[in-house]
Amino acid sequence: EAGVAQSPRYKIIEKRQSVAFWCNPISGHATLYWYQQILGQGPKLLIQFQNNGVVDDSQLPKDRFSAERLKGVDSTLKIQPAKLEDSAVYLCASSRSRTDTQYFGPGTRLTVL
Amino acid sequence: DQQVKQNSPSLSVQEGRISILNCDYTNSMFDYFLWYKKYPAEGPTFLISISSIKDKNEDGRFTVFLNKSAKHLSLHIVPSQPGDSAVYFCAAIYNNNDMRFGAGTRLTVKP
């Protein structure tokens, strides 16, 4: 069974630029999560989807971050405009349902200069 | 809001000995707890979990203990192997898979 795929693996941008990350969850997994992991901290949930609907986006900075999962499969997370403090690893995870174990992708390391 | 805390940023043990990683939490609403293991440049990998109705769960060399009254859980690895060297994250869940992570403990197992 293929794992969670994410791209790109690394991204370097200037502050105020825009960036987008892509995630393809494990086949058949209805729930998809985006996490932000700042260096030295644990992952922090940004948004949770159940199929193509948003379940929880309470910790998503909505003034600059957006995410979508239009067809209930893959998802994109966008930051526009980026700030220095957005430098982090962005992890995507998926699970069969909202109560099942979450499986993580390798992450995208974002550096904002 | 640091509801899950791992107070030891690092731990070093000798191969073959026991590794004990600790985690404390503050939210009594957490009802499920997990440990994830993370190697460099990879995402966290699920290791073991425990429901709040249990106090122990064992899987091979890995055992998780939960002390609800103390709001404390620990992961025991016996015997420790060099391949266990990684960052270990404690996580706690409530409210439909709303998962909160600790900051992680870097375990080094020396041959």
Side-chain angles (χ1 to χ4, degrees):
Chain A
E1 181 180 67
V4 177
Q6 289 188 248
S7 68
R9 292 296 310 276
Y10 304 92
K11 189 74 177 178
I12 301 174
I13 61 172
E14 302 271 338
K15 60 183 179 184
R16 291 188 288 274
Q17 285 187 321
S18 302
V19 64
F21 313 125
W22 175 81
C23 172
N24 191 19
I26 293 171
S27 177
H29 281 197
T31 315
L32 185 146
Y33 314 79
W34 283 102
Y35 288 84
Q36 178 193 59
Q37 185 180 8
I38 293 172
L39 187 65
Q41 299 179 19
K44 183 185 86 170
L45 179 69
L46 293 176
I47 189 167
Q48 179 184 160
F49 290 94
Q50 178 68 16
N51 296 310
N52 61 349
V54 175
V55 173
D56 180 5
D57 63 357
S58 57
Q59 299 189 85
L60 186 75
K62 298 179 189 63
D63 58 333
R64 297 184 301 105
F65 286 65
S66 64
E68 60 184 15
R69 192 184 184 201
L70 292 176
K71 296 180 180 178
V73 181
D74 55 351
S75 174
T76 55
L77 176 69
K78 297 179 182 178
I79 307 175
Q80 182 179 6
K83 293 185 175 181
L84 296 177
E85 59 261 36
D86 298 332
S87 294
V89 174
Y90 290 85
L91 294 161
C92 179
S94 70
S95 61
R96 290 187 189 280
S97 72
R98 292 172 67 190
T99 56
D100 280 322
T101 301
Q102 297 181 31
Y103 295 89
F104 285 82
T108 296
R109 181 177 295 278
L110 173 68
T111 302
V112 183
L113 302 175
Chain B
D1 109 317
Q2 202 172 354
Q3 298 184 45
V4 180
K5 297 180 183 179
Q6 293 177 256
N7 293 319
S8 297
S10 63
L11 174 68
S12 181
V13 300
Q14 208 65 35
E15 180 180 6
R17 305 295 291 269
I18 184 171
S19 295
I20 300 176
L21 295 96
N22 293 303
C23 178
D24 297 295
Y25 61 95
T26 57
N27 189 341
S28 57
M29 298 297 290
F30 288 135
D31 54 12
Y32 203 72
F33 303 87
L34 308 91
W35 285 93
Y36 279 82
K37 175 179 175 180
K38 186 181 184 303
Y39 292 117
E42 295 183 12
T45 303
F46 169 71
L47 189 59
I48 192 168
S49 63
I50 187 167
S51 165
S52 60
I53 62 174
K54 296 186 176 181
D55 55 18
K56 178 182 174 181
N57 187 27
E58 193 171 352
D59 183 3
R61 297 184 298 113
F62 303 91
T63 303
V64 56
F65 295 92
L66 175 63
N67 183 334
K68 284 188 67 178
S69 60
K71 293 191 177 69
H72 177 83
L73 71 158
S74 61
L75 174 68
H76 292 209
I77 307 174
V78 184
S80 301
Q81 300 174 353
D84 296 330
S85 296
V87 176
Y88 289 79
F89 290 99
C90 168
I93 288 180
Y94 72 108
N95 191 28
N96 287 321
N97 232 1
D98 186 345
M99 188 155 64
R100 305 296 171 112
F101 284 85
T105 297
R106 180 178 301 279
L107 173 66
T108 303
V109 180
K110 297 179 178 179

Short mmCIF file of all heavy atoms in Angstrom, two decimals, chain A residues 5 14 24 26 29 31 36 38-39 42 47 49 52 57 59 62 65 73 82 84 87 89-90 92-93 103 107 113:
data_model
loop_
_atom_site.label_atom_id
_atom_site.label_comp_id
_atom_site.label_asym_id
_atom_site.label_seq_id
_atom_site.Cartn_x
_atom_site.Cartn_y
_atom_site.Cartn_z
N ALA A 5 1.73 10.81 -0.07
CA ALA A 5 2.72 11.48 -0.91
C ALA A 5 2.59 13.00 -0.76
O ALA A 5 1.47 13.52 -0.67
CB ALA A 5 2.51 11.09 -2.38
N GLU A 14 10.99 33.94 -0.83
CA GLU A 14 11.18 35.22 -0.15
C GLU A 14 9.88 35.55 0.59
O GLU A 14 8.80 35.13 0.17
CB GLU A 14 11.47 36.33 -1.18
CG GLU A 14 12.68 36.07 -2.04
CD GLU A 14 13.94 36.63 -1.41
OE1 GLU A 14 13.83 37.53 -0.56
OE2 GLU A 14 15.04 36.17 -1.76
N ASN A 24 -1.21 13.82 -1.54
CA ASN A 24 -2.07 12.73 -2.01
C ASN A 24 -2.14 11.68 -0.91
O ASN A 24 -1.13 11.04 -0.58
CB ASN A 24 -1.52 12.12 -3.30
CG ASN A 24 -2.52 11.18 -3.95
OD1 ASN A 24 -3.71 11.22 -3.66
ND2 ASN A 24 -2.05 10.34 -4.84
N ILE A 26 -3.35 8.25 1.40
CA ILE A 26 -3.44 6.82 1.15
C ILE A 26 -4.81 6.53 0.53
O ILE A 26 -5.83 7.10 0.96
CB ILE A 26 -3.24 6.01 2.44
CG1 ILE A 26 -1.79 6.19 2.93
CG2 ILE A 26 -3.56 4.54 2.24
CD1 ILE A 26 -1.52 5.61 4.30
N HIS A 29 -8.57 6.60 2.14
CA HIS A 29 -8.62 7.34 3.40
C HIS A 29 -9.50 8.58 3.24
O HIS A 29 -9.23 9.45 2.42
CB HIS A 29 -7.22 7.75 3.85
CG HIS A 29 -6.47 6.64 4.49
ND1 HIS A 29 -5.34 6.85 5.27
CD2 HIS A 29 -6.69 5.30 4.50
CE1 HIS A 29 -4.91 5.70 5.73
NE2 HIS A 29 -5.70 4.74 5.26
N THR A 31 -10.24 10.86 5.63
CA THR A 31 -9.86 12.02 6.43
C THR A 31 -8.44 12.45 6.11
O THR A 31 -7.53 11.61 6.03
CB THR A 31 -9.99 11.70 7.93
OG1 THR A 31 -11.23 11.03 8.17
CG2 THR A 31 -9.95 12.98 8.75
N GLN A 36 1.54 21.79 10.81
CA GLN A 36 2.73 22.63 10.72
C GLN A 36 3.67 22.22 11.86
O GLN A 36 3.25 22.17 13.02
CB GLN A 36 2.36 24.10 10.86
CG GLN A 36 3.54 25.06 10.82
CD GLN A 36 3.15 26.46 11.27
OE1 GLN A 36 2.68 26.66 12.39
NE2 GLN A 36 3.34 27.44 10.40
N ILE A 38 7.09 23.44 13.48
CA ILE A 38 8.18 24.39 13.61
C ILE A 38 9.34 23.70 14.32
O ILE A 38 9.11 22.85 15.18
CB ILE A 38 7.71 25.64 14.36
CG1 ILE A 38 6.68 26.39 13.51
CG2 ILE A 38 8.86 26.54 14.76
CD1 ILE A 38 5.99 27.54 14.21
N LEU A 39 10.55 24.07 13.95
CA LEU A 39 11.73 23.43 14.50
C LEU A 39 11.71 23.40 16.03
O LEU A 39 11.49 24.43 16.67
CB LEU A 39 12.99 24.17 14.01
CG LEU A 39 14.33 23.54 14.37
CD1 LEU A 39 14.48 22.20 13.66
CD2 LEU A 39 15.48 24.47 13.99
N GLY A 42 6.44 20.01 18.38
CA GLY A 42 5.68 18.93 17.78
C GLY A 42 4.76 19.46 16.69
O GLY A 42 4.52 20.67 16.60
N ILE A 47 -5.57 22.05 9.72
CA ILE A 47 -6.90 21.84 9.15
C ILE A 47 -7.13 20.35 8.99
O ILE A 47 -6.19 19.58 8.75
CB ILE A 47 -7.05 22.58 7.81
CG1 ILE A 47 -8.49 22.55 7.30
CG2 ILE A 47 -6.09 22.03 6.75
CD1 ILE A 47 -8.76 23.52 6.14
N PHE A 49 -9.86 17.62 7.01
CA PHE A 49 -10.94 17.40 6.05
C PHE A 49 -11.56 16.03 6.27
O PHE A 49 -10.87 15.06 6.54
CB PHE A 49 -10.40 17.41 4.60
CG PHE A 49 -9.93 18.75 4.11
CD1 PHE A 49 -8.59 19.11 4.21
CD2 PHE A 49 -10.81 19.62 3.51
CE1 PHE A 49 -8.15 20.34 3.73
CE2 PHE A 49 -10.39 20.85 3.02
CZ PHE A 49 -9.06 21.20 3.14
N ASN A 52 -14.43 15.91 1.18
CA ASN A 52 -14.06 17.23 0.67
C ASN A 52 -14.57 18.36 1.55
O ASN A 52 -14.49 19.53 1.17
CB ASN A 52 -14.53 17.41 -0.77
CG ASN A 52 -16.03 17.29 -0.87
OD1 ASN A 52 -16.70 16.88 0.07
ND2 ASN A 52 -16.58 17.65 -2.02
N ASP A 57 -10.84 23.81 11.19
CA ASP A 57 -9.79 24.72 10.70
C ASP A 57 -9.55 25.82 11.73
O ASP A 57 -9.14 26.93 11.39
CB ASP A 57 -10.12 25.29 9.33
CG ASP A 57 -11.38 26.16 9.33
OD1 ASP A 57 -12.03 26.26 10.39
OD2 ASP A 57 -11.71 26.72 8.27
N GLN A 59 -7.29 26.29 13.88
CA GLN A 59 -5.92 26.74 14.09
C GLN A 59 -5.26 27.18 12.78
O GLN A 59 -4.04 27.40 12.75
CB GLN A 59 -5.10 25.63 14.76
CG GLN A 59 -5.65 25.25 16.14
CD GLN A 59 -4.72 24.33 16.89
OE1 GLN A 59 -3.79 24.78 17.56
NE2 GLN A 59 -4.95 23.03 16.79
N LYS A 62 -6.28 32.08 8.79
CA LYS A 62 -7.06 32.21 7.55
C LYS A 62 -6.77 33.47 6.76
O LYS A 62 -7.18 33.58 5.60
CB LYS A 62 -8.55 32.11 7.88
CG LYS A 62 -8.96 30.77 8.49
CD LYS A 62 -10.43 30.75 8.80
CE LYS A 62 -10.80 29.52 9.60
NZ LYS A 62 -10.15 29.47 10.92
N PHE A 65 -3.42 31.64 5.05
CA PHE A 65 -3.40 30.22 4.72
C PHE A 65 -4.77 29.81 4.16
O PHE A 65 -5.81 30.27 4.68
CB PHE A 65 -3.11 29.35 5.96
CG PHE A 65 -1.69 29.38 6.44
CD1 PHE A 65 -1.11 30.55 6.92
CD2 PHE A 65 -0.93 28.22 6.42
CE1 PHE A 65 0.20 30.56 7.38
CE2 PHE A 65 0.38 28.23 6.89
CZ PHE A 65 0.93 29.40 7.37
N VAL A 73 -10.01 13.73 -2.53
CA VAL A 73 -8.83 12.87 -2.59
C VAL A 73 -7.61 13.72 -2.23
O VAL A 73 -7.31 13.89 -1.06
CB VAL A 73 -8.67 12.21 -3.96
CG1 VAL A 73 -7.45 11.30 -3.99
CG2 VAL A 73 -9.92 11.39 -4.30
N ALA A 82 3.63 34.82 2.32
CA ALA A 82 4.39 34.13 3.37
C ALA A 82 5.13 35.11 4.27
O ALA A 82 5.54 36.19 3.84
CB ALA A 82 5.39 33.16 2.73
N LEU A 84 8.19 35.28 7.58
CA LEU A 84 9.37 34.56 8.06
C LEU A 84 8.99 33.44 9.02
O LEU A 84 9.57 32.34 8.98
CB LEU A 84 10.34 35.52 8.76
CG LEU A 84 10.95 36.62 7.90
CD1 LEU A 84 11.83 37.53 8.76
CD2 LEU A 84 11.77 36.05 6.76
N SER A 87 8.29 29.57 8.24
CA SER A 87 9.32 28.56 8.00
C SER A 87 9.06 27.37 8.93
O SER A 87 9.03 27.51 10.15
CB SER A 87 10.71 29.14 8.27
OG SER A 87 11.02 30.16 7.34
N VAL A 89 8.18 22.67 8.70
CA VAL A 89 7.85 21.50 7.87
C VAL A 89 6.33 21.37 7.87
O VAL A 89 5.70 21.41 8.94
CB VAL A 89 8.49 20.22 8.43
CG1 VAL A 89 8.03 19.00 7.65
CG2 VAL A 89 10.02 20.33 8.38
N TYR A 90 5.76 21.23 6.70
CA TYR A 90 4.31 21.05 6.57
C TYR A 90 4.04 19.59 6.27
O TYR A 90 4.46 19.04 5.25
CB TYR A 90 3.75 21.99 5.50
CG TYR A 90 3.83 23.42 5.98
CD1 TYR A 90 5.00 24.16 5.83
CD2 TYR A 90 2.77 24.00 6.67
CE1 TYR A 90 5.11 25.45 6.33
CE2 TYR A 90 2.87 25.29 7.17
CZ TYR A 90 4.03 26.00 7.01
OH TYR A 90 4.14 27.28 7.52
N CYS A 92 1.42 16.35 5.87
CA CYS A 92 0.08 15.90 5.54
C CYS A 92 -0.10 14.50 6.13
O CYS A 92 0.84 13.70 6.14
CB CYS A 92 -0.09 15.86 4.02
SG CYS A 92 -1.71 15.28 3.47
N ALA A 93 -1.27 14.22 6.64
CA ALA A 93 -1.58 12.90 7.18
C ALA A 93 -2.96 12.48 6.69
O ALA A 93 -3.78 13.34 6.32
CB ALA A 93 -1.53 12.91 8.71
N TYR A 103 -1.70 8.46 9.37
CA TYR A 103 -0.44 8.11 8.72
C TYR A 103 0.09 9.36 8.03
O TYR A 103 -0.65 10.03 7.30
CB TYR A 103 -0.65 6.97 7.72
CG TYR A 103 -1.07 5.69 8.39
CD1 TYR A 103 -2.42 5.41 8.61
CD2 TYR A 103 -0.12 4.78 8.85
CE1 TYR A 103 -2.80 4.25 9.27
CE2 TYR A 103 -0.50 3.61 9.49
CZ TYR A 103 -1.85 3.36 9.70
OH TYR A 103 -2.22 2.22 10.35
N GLY A 107 6.53 15.17 4.44
CA GLY A 107 6.57 16.59 4.75
C GLY A 107 7.21 17.44 3.67
O GLY A 107 7.96 16.94 2.81
N LEU A 113 12.76 33.42 3.43
CA LEU A 113 13.91 34.32 3.64
C LEU A 113 13.50 35.79 3.63
O LEU A 113 12.48 36.14 3.00
CB LEU A 113 14.95 34.08 2.54
CG LEU A 113 15.48 32.63 2.44
CD1 LEU A 113 16.40 32.51 1.24
CD2 LEU A 113 16.19 32.24 3.73
#
